[in-house]
Amino acid sequence: MVFSSLFFIFLFLPINLILYFSFKNRKLKNAILVLFSLIFYAWGEPIWVVLLLSSSLLDYFNGLFINKYFGKPIAKVGLYLTIIFNLGVLLTFKYSDFIVENVNSLTHFNFEKPGFLMPIGISFYSFQTISYIIDVYRGEVKAQKSFLNFLLFVSLFHQLVAGPIVRYSHIAKEIEERIFCWSDFNNGVSRFCIGLFKKVCIANIAGEICTHYLGSNLLDLTVMGGWFGILAYSIQIYFDFSGYSDMAIGLGWMFGFHYHENFKYPYISTSITDFWRRWHISLGTFFKDYVYIPLGGNKKYNFRNIFIVWGLTGLWHGASWNFIIWGLYFGVILFIEKIFFLNLLKRLPKFISHIYSLFFIIIGWAIFYFTDFNNLLFFIKLLFNLTNNELYNLEVQNMFFENIYWLGFAILLCMPIYNWFYKAINSASYFKYLVPFITIFLNLLLLTCSVIFLVGSSYNPFIYFRF
Amino acid sequence: MRKPIAQFFLKLNSAIFVFILITVSILFFIMPKHKISQDEKRVLTQFPEFNTADLFSGRYFKTIELYYSDNFICRNEFIEIASLIKRNKGIKNNEIQYFTYSKSSSIKKGTEKDGKRSKTTSPKDISTTESVDDIYENIKSVIVYKKKAIQIFNGSNYALSNYASLVKKYKDELGPSVSVFCMAIPIGSDFNLPSAFKKDREKIGIDHLYSVMDPSIKCVKAYEELRKHQKEYIQFNTDHHWTGRGAYYAYLAFCKTAQIKPLTPNKFEIKRINNFLGTLYYHTRSEDLKENLDYVEYFKLRNATKTTYFNENATKEYGGQLFVETAKGGSSYGVFLGRDYPLMKVKTDQKNGKKILIIKDSYGNAFSPFLCAHYEEVYIVDYRYLKSNIKNLIKKYGINNLLFAHNMYVLNSTFTISQESNFLTSNFITPTVTKPIISKTVPKKEPEKLVKDTIENKSNEN
């Protein structure tokens, strides 16, 4: 199931809310959440619930084991067992085809591809459990004694299939004691509506434009079509993913969980370094805390560490070389920025750094989009008019103007206008009293628009399922 | 004082949200469920019957979700508003409206349904003959210009070269006793697009195809003949097919190539079915098209024929009709042959020993009846549905002419090539189907998609 489906919004969620809030007992509340999470997960491919449960069970016992022998060498066994199991599962289900393909092309063997279907959300929850075990091993958190509570942490449907990657320490306390407050619920509702709107009214429409251009025969694509397509893809991927994170955070608030922010307006970055502080923050900090720093961070072999981390970051996004290239591409830019370019940027006018960052981000998305290397090269050449393709045609011109209001709106939404707006009306004494009305009105508007588009179109692909 | 008020509004906001959620949920259970969507011309998703296989594959739950969204309250109104908003999200060009192919269009589901339907129901109520999603899979853009829907053709010479070698392969296998014809049918892009567009895409494609075609193959210059009459009613305003008149001009071109004396129009009984609103209306939902309804004109033969059709393995024979004159409304194009049968056989009163097999897509439905005026037996194969060996068929029935008649979209698709190569192999193998992880569509369209991807990769290598 996905949040942006009518079934979820108008059946699953209300039933869940009613049941959840009709009980006072916290244990019962947790059990209800776990039950609904498992249903939510099982909805797509029921069989993978078994994997989720067995992985959770193993990690739960490993946590207890490490806790018991804390500080003793034997505790390492639990740590390694969890890491090996989770990475093993990830390798098997996500990367086995990719590995076999590469082994075959490097050697003369001709192994058959296993062709596993990837369980939904595996990249997210396996990282969550790994982080939990490492934190327990490091003594940063206490192991969870109750399996139900642990399962709640792993399977909570808010973040199960598309992140953010929640750290156990962030919600450890809230699993055991949550205090309900109306302002939280209220903020959660608003946040959910915003996220839904971003996903349904921005990302999905951008997706249509993107597939129309990038998914077509590249030989027939115009240069302007190429830019329009990749711009649409940049919009799609941001609004899709951050919209989903918004919904997750909003749902969390409704039920009393406070997840950390996952996006902070990445497209207003002034450098690529800045971009990665604003894009998919939970993944960035995961790699920083569990790979980069243990490898030596910037103290030892800094260069090597940067490339390992960025190669892995790329690889996490999908089992294909273009993702690794995408990661390394950012690794290189970050390294250059680190040695001297960042200092230079600071001295330049701000709009130049914005243009610089956006340019490299958008080119990055081209690498991300094209899994086929030849297509990618051709596309990059096309963007700079190095192919024989037409510059533009009537079709792309028309398409551009037919979407121009929407496009302007989408670009505006990449900036923190919502915050500016609220700041402005809060500071104006006349409007101050209208704020609650405005909030209610906006939420209704966002929800209605989203429902209209959800009903109006069956086009609801979810690109982050790939991970 | 202010704090409680603020608290009240917080609660109000939350309460309104929850109230809406719960009300809509309850309304879903109360409201009557519909079986058919008139607008989309399809049967809505019904609550699935339980079986364990579907449960484990996730299909069971997915169907429930589809059932839910298909029966959502005020669904049609919401769809209407959505398309209204979508039409106004930018500055519209009033003269030319663009309709990008996207998966959002409701016709997607509609065609899906048609595909299923053509297998199960009787020929009488069959809607437009084009069924599986494949035709839409290939439509890149449709524009509406002066109240007429025009498809923008888009294809590559690479695919066409492959098609030429496939036809050559047939010729090699069948030997000199069978004359092989190839007829590429334009889809109206070149003739109807406004001048702002490049208007010779189809011509370039057809010229390329014929230039790489083996000299032993007789190429039918339908394009040239149709161009002479491009001002006439040869392409529908609201449908993706050509008209009966368009097919007649292609027939003239065919006769020239086959050295047959064609019948003049007055030799036919020309009849019409009015008020035809075709597939491209449902694809674009453009109001302009509603103001420019089509009629289906058909040239009825006067000579006696006996028509039968076969199942997909060509093992069972049933009674059929060359013209199903009861066709009406959105299914009016079905007047030609009824629908896309895997194989049809027409016995005529001509006793000249000439027998022809035509491999066609739905454009061929309007064309095939003309052949019945000149051949003793006419065999009509739909390339999508037959699962049998054509070489054997040709041998079995003593067929001495073979005609490939396809529109430019179909000629450009590698699905066509893989299907038609399969007709040559003794064991018919349907292309394997991979199921996507989340897909609301029937898997039938998947092979098309896959090959589309591969062809793009290949054409970039060139």
Side-chain angles (χ1 to χ4, degrees):
Chain A
M1 214 185 300
V2 290
F3 299 155
S4 54
S5 75
L6 295 167
F7 187 84
F8 174 82
I9 304 167
F10 293 112
L11 208 62
F12 185 91
L13 185 58
I15 295 176
N16 187 11
L17 282 169
I18 291 171
L19 280 179
Y20 181 84
F21 284 107
S22 48
F23 292 101
K24 279 263 170 300
N25 184 314
R26 188 191 43 77
K27 257 190 192 159
L28 221 62
K29 276 177 183 279
N30 283 357
I32 288 168
L33 273 184
V34 167
L35 181 72
F36 272 83
S37 297
L38 293 180
I39 295 173
F40 183 89
Y41 191 68
W43 203 258
E45 288 134 68
I47 196 87
W48 298 124
V49 173
V50 180
L51 187 69
L52 178 78
L53 286 175
S54 51
S55 164
S56 307
L57 207 63
L58 179 85
D59 297 327
Y60 164 70
F61 282 116
N62 278 339
L64 291 181
F65 179 81
I66 294 170
N67 221 21
K68 191 172 175 196
Y69 298 102
F70 185 73
K72 288 178 189 142
I74 196 170
K76 272 209 160 105
V77 176
L79 176 72
Y80 287 137
L81 211 59
T82 282
I83 293 178
I84 289 167
F85 178 79
N86 279 298
L87 291 185
V89 166
L90 211 53
L91 276 178
T92 318
F93 288 106
K94 191 170 170 182
Y95 297 104
S96 53
D97 280 6
F98 179 62
I99 294 168
V100 169
E101 217 169 86
N102 283 295
V103 167
N104 282 349
S105 64
L106 283 177
T107 61
H108 296 295
F109 293 117
N110 199 3
F111 296 113
E112 204 176 314
K113 278 196 233 171
F116 290 117
L117 278 179
M118 197 170 84
I120 300 165
I122 189 167
S123 315
F124 289 97
Y125 76 73
S126 55
F127 270 36
Q128 277 188 206
T129 47
I130 289 176
S131 86
Y132 162 75
I133 288 295
I134 296 178
D135 286 353
V136 172
Y137 178 78
R138 288 175 178 171
E140 285 166 13
V141 292
K142 278 257 167 298
Q144 176 56 253
K145 298 240 158 34
S146 140
F147 181 62
L148 182 75
N149 287 348
F150 182 71
L151 196 57
L152 182 65
F153 159 68
V154 182
S155 73
L156 199 51
F157 71 85
H158 312 151
Q159 25 78 10
L160 177 63
V161 296
I165 300 167
V166 173
R167 298 285 183 84
Y168 179 71
S169 57
H170 295 167
I171 59 164
K173 231 179 118 192
E174 286 164 351
I175 285 178
E176 311 205 353
E177 49 181 57
R178 294 187 287 284
I179 305 148
F180 174 79
C181 87
W182 279 105
S183 77
D184 265 359
F185 196 93
N186 173 63
N187 289 340
V189 167
S190 303
R191 195 63 185 271
F192 183 82
C193 292
I194 293 172
L196 185 66
F197 182 83
K198 281 164 90 172
K199 164 81 181 110
V200 177
C201 299
I202 307 289
N204 285 359
I205 292 175
E208 289 176 27
I209 298 173
C210 165
T211 28
H212 175 58
Y213 289 108
L214 303 191
S216 71
N217 189 339
L218 291 183
L219 291 171
D220 285 325
L221 193 60
T222 59
V223 176
M224 186 180 162
W227 279 103
F228 192 28
I230 198 67
L231 180 69
Y233 187 61
S234 310
I235 291 173
Q236 183 193 7
I237 198 160
Y238 167 60
F239 282 97
D240 188 282
F241 197 11
S242 78
Y244 215 86
S245 288
D246 284 338
M247 286 188 268
I249 291 168
L251 286 170
W253 277 340
M254 288 186 215
F255 292 90
F257 294 95
H258 296 80
Y259 308 127
H260 287 208
E261 290 297 328
N262 208 17
F263 290 88
K264 285 181 181 158
Y265 303 100
Y267 289 162
I268 60 165
S269 314
T270 50
S271 66
I272 297 299
T273 315
D274 192 23
F275 172 72
W276 276 103
R277 285 195 199 114
R278 294 165 176 275
W279 179 273
H280 204 176
I281 300 164
S282 62
L283 182 75
T285 47
F286 180 94
F287 276 112
K288 192 179 122 215
D289 291 349
Y290 301 114
V291 183
Y292 184 65
I293 291 173
L295 279 173
N298 52 12
K299 299 201 177 71
K300 251 190 334 191
Y301 312 116
N302 189 10
F303 187 73
R304 180 202 73 175
N305 299 343
I306 284 179
F307 283 95
I308 290 177
V309 166
W310 287 98
L312 287 177
T313 304
L315 190 62
W316 180 85
H317 285 84
S320 168
W321 278 104
N322 71 306
F323 295 113
I324 301 177
I325 297 169
W326 177 77
L328 292 175
Y329 162 86
F330 279 116
V332 172
I333 300 177
L334 286 167
F335 192 70
I336 295 171
E337 281 189 355
K338 203 169 187 175
I339 348 179
F340 73 97
F341 200 65
L342 218 48
N343 288 328
L344 191 74
L345 270 180
K346 273 180 197 150
R347 278 183 233 139
L348 293 171
K350 242 192 165 171
F351 77 94
I352 292 182
S353 17
H354 282 300
I355 292 171
Y356 151 79
S357 322
L358 273 178
F359 176 79
F360 282 100
I361 292 165
I362 289 177
I363 297 296
W365 290 133
I367 304 173
F368 195 87
Y369 183 86
F370 289 99
T371 39
D372 180 276
F373 197 67
N374 290 327
N375 279 353
L376 170 65
L377 275 185
F378 186 87
F379 184 75
I380 300 272
K381 276 196 218 153
L382 176 128
L383 287 182
F384 300 103
N385 200 19
L386 299 173
T387 57
N388 291 327
N389 293 36
E390 284 175 283
L391 216 50
Y392 70 97
N393 60 17
L394 192 72
E395 193 268 349
V396 63
Q397 210 176 315
N398 252 328
M399 187 79 165
F400 183 76
F401 282 111
E402 273 176 16
N403 287 292
I404 194 154
Y405 303 144
W406 169 86
L407 188 67
F409 187 55
I411 291 173
L412 214 60
L413 285 185
C414 293
M415 295 177 250
I417 52 156
Y418 221 79
N419 303 352
W420 295 339
F421 174 71
Y422 268 93
K423 224 180 233 169
I425 53 171
N426 265 317
S427 59
S429 50
Y430 284 115
F431 289 120
K432 215 168 172 176
Y433 300 102
L434 292 176
V435 171
F437 291 106
I438 293 172
T439 309
I440 293 173
F441 174 75
L442 275 179
N443 286 346
L444 282 177
L445 187 72
L446 295 177
L447 184 67
T448 317
C449 277
S450 309
V451 172
I452 287 172
F453 275 97
L454 273 179
V455 181
S457 80
S458 57
Y459 188 77
N460 198 16
F462 180 35
I463 48 180
Y464 251 75
F465 260 146
R466 208 148 116 192
F467 307 118
Chain B
M1 254 322 262
R2 266 170 63 195
K3 232 188 162 189
I5 293 176
Q7 195 70 19
F8 170 73
F9 277 111
L10 288 182
K11 284 183 192 172
L12 187 65
N13 180 33
S14 316
I16 290 176
F17 178 78
V18 176
F19 176 76
I20 293 175
L21 261 54
I22 293 174
T23 317
V24 175
S25 310
I26 294 173
L27 278 177
F28 171 76
F29 288 103
I30 297 174
M31 296 293 277
K33 307 285 178 287
H34 299 282
K35 271 224 153 99
I36 289 169
S37 156
Q38 287 298 342
D39 287 9
E40 293 155 277
K41 297 190 150 193
R42 67 181 176 98
V43 174
L44 297 169
T45 313
Q46 300 299 304
F47 198 83
E49 272 171 46
F50 182 82
N51 72 55
T52 30
D54 280 357
L55 177 73
F56 283 111
S57 71
R59 184 188 297 247
Y60 182 71
F61 291 130
K62 249 168 256 167
T63 317
I64 292 182
E65 221 172 308
L66 277 180
Y67 167 73
Y68 188 88
S69 51
D70 269 0
N71 286 294
F72 197 76
I73 49 160
C74 304
R75 180 163 179 271
N76 288 338
E77 287 75 10
F78 277 123
I79 291 175
E80 201 65 36
I81 301 169
S83 72
L84 186 77
I85 298 176
K86 278 195 167 176
R87 278 203 292 274
N88 292 296
K89 65 187 194 301
I91 303 161
K92 241 170 44 182
N93 184 329
N94 282 325
E95 212 183 24
I96 304 171
Q97 301 163 43
Y98 264 91
F99 297 91
T100 312
Y101 163 72
S102 74
K103 292 187 176 78
S104 71
S105 59
S106 44
I107 193 76
K108 194 72 193 166
K109 283 179 169 178
T111 46
E112 200 178 290
K113 161 72 206 3
D114 283 349
K116 277 182 221 152
R117 190 207 270 175
S118 57
K119 274 189 191 145
T120 46
T121 40
S122 64
K124 253 186 191 166
D125 55 22
I126 284 312
S127 70
T128 46
T129 41
E130 198 60 62
S131 52
V132 202
D133 305 350
D134 51 6
I135 193 79
Y136 288 102
E137 195 66 36
N138 284 318
I139 292 179
K140 193 174 172 182
S141 307
V142 174
I143 64 162
V144 174
Y145 175 64
K146 293 187 174 163
K147 300 190 176 176
K148 190 174 165 68
I150 305 160
Q151 304 167 77
I152 301 178
F153 171 71
N154 182 45
S156 73
N157 287 351
Y158 177 82
L160 292 168
S161 300
N162 280 345
Y163 197 78
S165 11
L166 174 81
V167 176
K168 171 84 168 58
K169 213 162 117 195
Y170 269 84
K171 179 73 192 167
D172 291 347
E173 297 252 344
L174 296 170
S177 61
V178 179
S179 313
V180 179
F181 298 86
C182 180
M183 178 165 80
I185 305 169
I187 49 161
S189 273
D190 282 13
F191 304 148
N192 296 320
L193 283 177
S195 51
F197 289 82
K198 256 185 149 179
K199 287 188 60 163
D200 50 359
R201 290 247 163 132
E202 292 191 279
K203 184 168 171 38
I204 292 172
I206 294 173
D207 284 350
H208 173 80
L209 176 70
Y210 287 177
S211 72
V212 292
M213 195 69 82
D214 193 80
S216 61
I217 314 291
K218 298 172 186 163
C219 296
V220 180
K221 298 205 161 52
Y223 181 91
E224 281 73 11
E225 192 63 38
L226 283 160
R227 194 165 61 177
K228 278 191 225 159
H229 301 277
Q230 55 173 297
K231 291 281 177 287
E232 291 173 42
Y233 191 48
I234 57 170
Q235 198 84 27
F236 290 115
N237 303 320
T238 68
D239 195 77
H240 69 279
H241 293 109
W242 58 355
T243 63
R245 190 163 285 273
Y248 175 75
Y249 293 126
Y251 154 71
L252 294 186
F254 175 77
C255 289
K256 218 181 254 179
T257 316
Q259 292 168 335
I260 299 171
K261 195 169 170 277
L263 300 180
T264 49
N266 58 23
K267 294 268 162 60
F268 297 91
E269 186 188 348
I270 300 178
K271 292 171 112 180
R272 269 186 195 187
I273 298 171
N274 286 318
N275 298 326
F276 171 43
L277 192 57
T279 50
L280 292 179
Y281 166 72
Y282 291 97
H283 182 66
T284 61
R285 285 181 151 257
S286 158
E287 291 300 312
D288 281 4
L289 294 181
K290 263 190 168 167
E291 294 168 16
N292 196 11
L293 289 182
D294 280 300
Y295 59 87
V296 180
E297 191 181 32
Y298 57 101
F299 290 49
K300 224 181 149 191
L301 291 170
R302 293 191 199 268
N303 61 325
T305 54
K306 182 178 172 276
T307 310
T308 51
Y309 71 89
F310 293 79
N311 64 345
E312 56 179 25
N313 303 319
T315 47
K316 281 188 193 137
E317 201 169 349
Y318 311 90
Q321 274 173 289
L322 214 46
F323 294 98
V324 182
E325 298 189 82
T326 48
K328 59 172 188 218
S331 340
S332 299
Y333 189 79
V335 69
F336 302 112
L337 308 186
R339 65 173 174 100
D340 294 314
Y341 294 103
L343 172 67
M344 283 183 101
K345 175 180 174 181
V346 188
K347 266 196 151 161
T348 74
D349 51 5
Q350 303 289 314
K351 294 282 171 262
N352 54 13
K354 284 163 74 181
K355 294 178 180 180
I356 188 164
L357 187 143
I358 166 172
I359 302 179
K360 56 97 194 171
D361 50 72
S362 60
Y363 269 61
N365 297 16
F367 175 83
S368 309
F370 291 109
L371 299 174
C372 303
H374 305 282
Y375 291 88
E376 190 175 324
E377 281 173 21
V378 178
Y379 296 84
I380 306 161
V381 166
D382 193 289
Y383 82 106
R384 287 159 296 183
Y385 304 116
L386 184 74
K387 287 185 180 159
S388 179
N389 187 322
I390 283 191
K391 229 173 106 183
N392 293 346
L393 285 177
I394 287 178
K395 224 179 261 166
K396 185 173 162 195
Y397 295 111
I399 295 164
N400 39 31
N401 292 282
L402 174 63
L403 166 64
F404 292 89
H406 283 309
N407 74 51
M408 286 304 283
Y409 276 140
V410 174
L411 285 175
N412 259 283
S413 131
T414 36
F415 175 68
T416 318
I417 294 174
S418 72
Q419 280 290 98
E420 292 180 7
S421 328
N422 282 339
F423 292 148
L424 277 180
T425 55
S426 49
N427 293 319
F428 190 86
I429 312 149
T430 32
T432 46
V433 172
T434 35
K435 241 195 288 163
I437 298 176
I438 37 161
S439 164
K440 292 175 176 177
T441 48
V442 283
K444 197 154 194 174
K445 59 168 260 245
E446 285 308 311
E448 182 78 25
K449 220 180 189 172
L450 289 177
V451 284
K452 202 180 145 220
D453 289 343
T454 45
I455 189 170
E456 270 160 21
N457 295 343
K458 275 177 196 152
S459 48
N460 286 330
E461 281 160 19
N462 273 8

